[in-house]
Amino acid sequence: MFRTIKNMVGGLLGWTESRSGVITFVQPILTHRVPRDAKWWYVFGSASLMFFSIQVITGILLATMYVPSAAEAYSSLQYIDQQVPFGWMLRALHAWSSNAMILMVVIHMSQVFLHASFKFPRELMWMVGVLLLFCTLALAFTGQIMRWDQDAYWGLGIGAAIVDRVPMLGNQMRNVMLGGPYIGGATLSRFFALHVFVLPGLTIGLIGAHMALILKNGISEMPKPGMVVDPKTYVAEYEERIKKTGVAFMPDAAQRDMVFCGLMLIIVGFLAWYLGPVGPNGIPNPTIIDANPRPDYAFLWIFTAMALMPPQIETAVLLIAPPIVVLFLLGLPLISNRGERAPSRRPGAVVVYVLTATALGTLTWLGVVSAWSPVMDAWTSLPTPVKYLVGRTPLEMQGALVIQHSQCRNCHSLGGEGGLRGPNLDNVGSRKSWDQLVRQVQQGGGNMPAYGKNLSSAETTAVVAFMTTLRNAGAPESTIPGAMERQSSPDQAPKAVVGDVGQ
Amino acid sequence: MSAAFKNIAALVGVIVAAACLQACGKISATDPADTVVASLPQAAMTNYAENCSACHGANGVNGAARQLADANYLASVGREALINITTNGVPGGFCPGSGPASLAHWNPKQVAEFVDGMLDAWGKNGVALSIPWSVKLAPAGNASNGQAVYAATCQSCHGAPGATVASASGSVTDPNYLRLITDQGLRSAILFGRPERGMPGWSGPFPHQAVDRKLSSQEISDVVVFLRSTASQKQ
């Protein structure tokens, strides 16, 4: 019996092989030799590929339920989240696996850059890889549009505004991007086409090219100081070393890929289950002005840069910087395709990398905090910290009300809550004297608007009286002398003990 | 080998940290303040946290403005007036109200639900005052009578008018304070006190007075008129 089955399977395989040559094709791929020292540093490319595969599978399943029309996209997402069994998990996996894919691609690229694996003869691999990076980011951006919520709407709006700045062609380019002069049903349709047909197809093709080039050129070895790349001799030397010390990809290197990919899969599965799907947030309606749109993680750094950039250089930076970055990334292996590979011998490259990573990390973090943006509902929703009300006089209590009512806390935090746009007020009484506070409130300055016309003298007096009580335990009242006479009132006279009773 | 494992551990850390960030963002974006008294109905609780808690305190107490979790206050003012205040705010005061014309845009149904939720959660067993709470229903006051009542009941904490030494609880004759507080605010403060700040209401006990000393509606009107007169004298 067993023998019969074995014969049948063998016969089937032989039949297929003789007509397709599939085994002859696959076997050398699986057993191609890789450097022995290619260890855990080399797993990130495989992990990127795995996450892309998950994106394809979950994406196809989502496409069976998602309705790419402006009227129904939002409700179809809610349907997937709430009605379809495990639909929420499908969306969560798609979202978190996309974040993980971007992270893996970035780490993979960092490793290749730091180890200078892009040097001869792997220049083309790097270039294809750069294109894959752009495809990944484009997939992430268009995927964010698929949510068709406030984030999507304003993300598109900002994208369109950037495109619009291109000289001469800006209007036409924006029309092509949005399918008309404004965001509408045609916009979603074309981004859907990009997200599910054009970009995945392009990505699959580029991945194929990337893999073919790996087989052609082999995986680079771990860099060693002094082991220079010389295009004249490199290929022969590499093949010699690989023949001597290399190991077969399957199973020696593949098993590490599998362990790492399995681990990542468990983590992303856990994240998807624990954190759930991303969005959809508020409905995409431009008349809702209390929207608080934020781009996804991969684009937070752009969000920050746009927010903090001086307006007069915006157009120049937006039009000049991207081509420079693209040209630098694509041209990198042409500029430098020989010589040392070890990071210790390439301090310039390491500095460039560290600076770039720090800048992107900082901009991303600032985007998460977005301190430049007032907290628009702080004045109605954040209670005055109770410790700042204990032992205060009636006038000071009125001052606390002025702080809330005049929306000071949208920009100034109290007790760690409120906007970060202006300095926090927790210890303002020991930083500024009565007179300075009056001047600051009335005349503004340092990015603060003047409130002289908006507050009555009684309100100003009350709010300043309250602020002078805001001092850290033991901190003295600021005594910088000012020109103004303090008005005589018992509550405004210096007190023996004014303190932050709660602290 | 171990260095490689460290790198991977760092990577895992980054992923987890990113996830935590996302989680924090989600929670702060969607959660209404969970510190509000739980017995307020859900919708009223959310509305309170978003529109009232800044001044009236997270639990209806301990805010800079009047304590709302005060059963006697709620019972004395009554549902109709509470709906009016919630809708239109306090004329001349800081409270902007939450009605259809305000930034909060509550519709009449939401206002009614909120007031009923408040009465239900914070107004249980409240005893309505036997004297009118509203200045509109109060008798006209007399400043010189008010001065005597002030000296007997208020001065020990709030100081004599025009005093140059800070009083224990702060001046209520400060002209700036008097410009910011309405007559109703003064009357309500005397009637209901500020229990969370240690100020007793109209029935005392006031320091240096018999425990059961109660101010009459007339006496309270007199004090309010007297306080106003101190400000106008200064000006």
Side-chain angles (χ1 to χ4, degrees):
Chain A
M1 180 68 180
F2 180 72
R3 185 174 291 266
T4 324
I5 292 174
K6 199 177 168 190
N7 284 342
M8 276 174 69
V9 171
L12 198 62
L13 275 180
W15 187 87
T16 313
E17 171 63 15
S18 64
R19 280 155 188 80
S20 67
V22 66
I23 293 173
T24 322
F25 178 72
V26 169
Q27 197 172 16
I29 295 177
L30 291 179
T31 56
H32 80 278
R33 294 175 86 75
V34 298
R36 181 178 292 277
D37 57 1
K39 293 210 162 135
W40 292 100
W41 268 117
Y42 290 66
V43 297
F44 302 109
S46 311
S48 308
L49 179 59
M50 175 198 66
F51 282 125
F52 179 70
S53 315
I54 292 176
Q55 290 308 87
V56 171
I57 295 165
T58 53
I60 289 172
L61 290 173
L62 284 172
T64 61
M65 294 175 279
Y66 177 76
V67 184
S69 93
E72 289 171 75
Y74 191 87
S75 52
S76 76
L77 290 180
Q78 288 182 321
Y79 170 77
I80 296 172
D81 276 351
Q82 290 158 18
Q83 308 286 324
V84 178
F86 288 99
W88 62 272
M89 184 66 179
L90 195 60
R91 284 199 60 233
L93 272 177
H94 198 68
W96 289 103
S97 157
S98 100
N99 279 339
M101 178 174 161
I102 295 170
L103 189 64
M104 290 302 135
V105 166
V106 168
I107 295 174
H108 176 53
M109 202 168 160
S110 304
Q111 179 258 320
V112 170
F113 178 81
L114 287 172
H115 288 175
S117 305
F118 55 80
K119 293 195 173 181
F120 180 90
R122 302 184 180 84
E123 297 99 322
L124 210 48
M125 279 165 79
W126 167 268
M127 292 183 198
V128 172
V130 169
L131 295 180
L132 277 168
L133 171 75
F134 294 143
C135 278
T136 308
L137 292 177
L139 277 165
F141 184 79
T142 53
Q144 185 185 316
I145 305 302
M146 293 303 104
R147 289 207 296 270
W148 208 241
D149 56 6
Q150 279 171 355
D151 291 354
Y153 185 89
W154 293 109
L156 266 177
I158 289 164
I162 294 175
V163 168
D164 216 11
R165 290 179 191 235
V166 176
M168 315 287 283
L169 299 172
N171 259 331
Q172 285 75 9
M173 286 170 68
R174 186 203 54 205
N175 286 354
V176 169
M177 172 180 165
L178 298 182
Y182 47 76
I183 300 169
T187 318
L188 181 57
S189 307
R190 62 188 52 205
F191 274 89
F192 181 74
L194 277 176
H195 187 71
V196 305
F197 300 119
V198 180
L199 289 169
L202 202 58
T203 307
I204 291 171
L206 287 169
I207 289 175
H210 206 60
M211 307 275 270
L213 286 165
I214 294 176
L215 292 173
K216 164 80 174 61
N217 296 316
I219 293 177
S220 72
E221 299 147 295
M222 283 295 279
K224 286 191 194 71
M227 207 166 102
V228 293
V229 174
D230 180 355
K232 285 191 192 112
T233 56
Y234 179 82
V235 173
E237 286 173 7
Y238 175 81
E239 275 173 8
E240 178 69 27
R241 284 195 297 269
I242 280 296
K243 205 175 276 178
K244 233 190 272 172
T245 65
V247 291
F249 172 73
M250 192 72 135
D252 294 73
Q255 64 193 5
R256 263 188 302 273
D257 286 351
M258 288 176 198
V259 168
F260 182 74
C261 287
L263 188 66
M264 288 298 110
L265 204 54
I266 291 169
I267 291 175
V268 166
F270 174 79
L271 287 180
W273 165 77
Y274 187 71
L275 298 170
V278 177
N281 301 317
I283 54 171
N285 183 341
T287 65
I288 297 175
I289 54 163
D290 59 351
N292 189 23
R294 290 285 180 277
D296 284 354
Y297 282 116
F299 307 104
L300 270 177
W301 61 278
I302 304 178
F303 171 70
T304 308
M306 305 269 279
L308 299 183
M309 211 186 293
Q312 57 271 26
I313 65 165
E314 267 176 13
T315 304
V317 171
L318 285 172
L319 297 183
I320 295 170
I324 291 179
V325 171
V326 172
L327 283 180
F328 172 78
L329 285 174
L330 284 175
L332 176 69
L334 303 179
I335 305 167
S336 148
N337 76 333
R338 57 178 68 216
E340 290 280 358
R341 284 185 52 218
S344 56
R345 299 282 171 93
R346 296 165 53 244
V350 175
V351 167
V352 167
Y353 178 81
V354 170
L355 285 180
T356 309
T358 311
L360 290 180
T362 309
L363 288 173
T364 301
W365 172 246
L366 286 175
V368 172
V369 183
S370 53
W372 59 85
S373 190
V375 180
M376 293 309 283
D377 60 352
W379 71 288
T380 56
S381 62
L382 299 180
T384 310
V386 177
K387 63 185 177 185
Y388 294 151
L389 296 172
V390 175
R392 265 47 174 194
T393 67
L395 180 69
E396 288 156 6
M397 298 281 269
Q398 292 295 313
L401 290 179
V402 174
I403 291 241
Q404 302 286 26
H405 185 259
S406 303
Q407 317 193 355
C408 304
R409 287 181 78 189
N410 287 12
C411 290
H412 295 281
S413 74
L414 259 187
E417 285 188 305
L420 301 172
R421 179 98 211 217
N424 79 53
L425 299 179
D426 294 289
N427 192 27
V428 74
S430 59
R431 289 201 306 269
K432 287 200 183 301
S433 69
W434 181 285
D435 300 339
Q436 288 174 312
L437 286 168
V438 170
R439 194 211 64 74
Q440 183 69 32
V441 169
Q442 290 190 334
Q443 299 177 7
N447 244 339
M448 174 172 159
Y451 281 82
K453 285 184 180 167
N454 303 73
L455 297 178
S456 69
S457 62
E459 286 169 332
T460 307
T461 308
V463 77
V464 170
F466 176 65
M467 284 196 287
T468 51
T469 68
L470 298 178
R471 304 203 298 273
N472 289 343
E477 190 173 355
S478 174
T479 52
I480 302 166
M484 272 174 60
E485 280 290 315
R486 187 176 284 195
Q487 300 188 3
S488 60
S489 163
D491 284 336
Q492 294 157 28
K495 290 172 204 163
V497 182
V498 187
D500 203 354
V501 180
Q503 282 191 353
Chain B
M1 188 68 161
S2 66
F5 271 117
K6 268 185 204 161
N7 293 326
I8 290 164
L11 169 70
V12 171
V14 167
I15 295 179
V16 172
C20 294
L21 278 175
Q22 179 80 4
C24 296
K26 277 169 97 169
I27 287 164
S28 63
T30 57
D31 250 17
D34 47 7
T35 43
V36 178
V37 168
S39 50
L40 267 187
Q42 179 67 41
M45 178 169 88
T46 308
N47 284 337
Y48 179 84
E50 286 175 359
N51 297 286
C52 317
S53 64
C55 293
H56 290 288
N59 298 299
V61 290
N62 271 324
R66 163 146 299 288
Q67 171 172 348
L68 293 180
D70 177 342
N72 293 343
Y73 171 77
L74 294 175
S76 303
V77 174
R79 184 172 186 273
E80 195 184 338
L82 285 171
I83 285 182
N84 183 27
I85 298 171
T86 308
T87 306
N88 301 314
V90 177
F94 287 119
C95 181
S98 299
S102 73
L103 284 172
H105 291 308
W106 296 2
N107 59 39
K109 186 166 167 264
Q110 285 174 304
V111 172
E113 277 173 1
F114 172 74
V115 169
D116 289 336
M118 210 165 46
L119 285 169
D120 193 42
W122 296 334
K124 287 224 172 72
N125 305 323
V127 180
L129 294 180
S130 54
I131 58 175
W133 74 278
S134 165
V135 283
K136 289 177 192 151
L137 305 173
N142 176 307
S144 56
N145 287 347
Q147 183 165 18
V149 177
Y150 181 87
T153 50
C154 315
Q155 195 162 312
S156 62
C157 290
H158 291 295
T164 50
V165 181
S167 53
S169 301
S171 169
V172 286
T173 53
D174 183 300
N176 288 308
Y177 169 70
L178 288 167
R179 279 173 65 194
L180 295 173
I181 187 121
T182 59
D183 282 358
Q184 182 63 63
L186 289 171
R187 187 175 177 88
S188 293
I190 299 168
L191 277 173
F192 306 105
R194 290 298 296 265
E196 81 278 28
R197 304 259 166 263
M199 174 177 170
W202 67 301
S203 64
F206 302 111
H208 317 301
Q209 292 287 352
V211 169
D212 284 335
R213 170 79 162 97
K214 289 186 180 179
L215 298 179
S216 68
S217 181
Q218 180 64 53
E219 283 174 316
I220 294 173
S221 291
D222 294 345
V223 171
V224 170
V225 170
F226 165 67
L227 291 173
R228 285 279 167 238
S229 74
T230 62
S232 59
Q233 275 164 18
K234 281 208 167 178
Q235 282 169 351

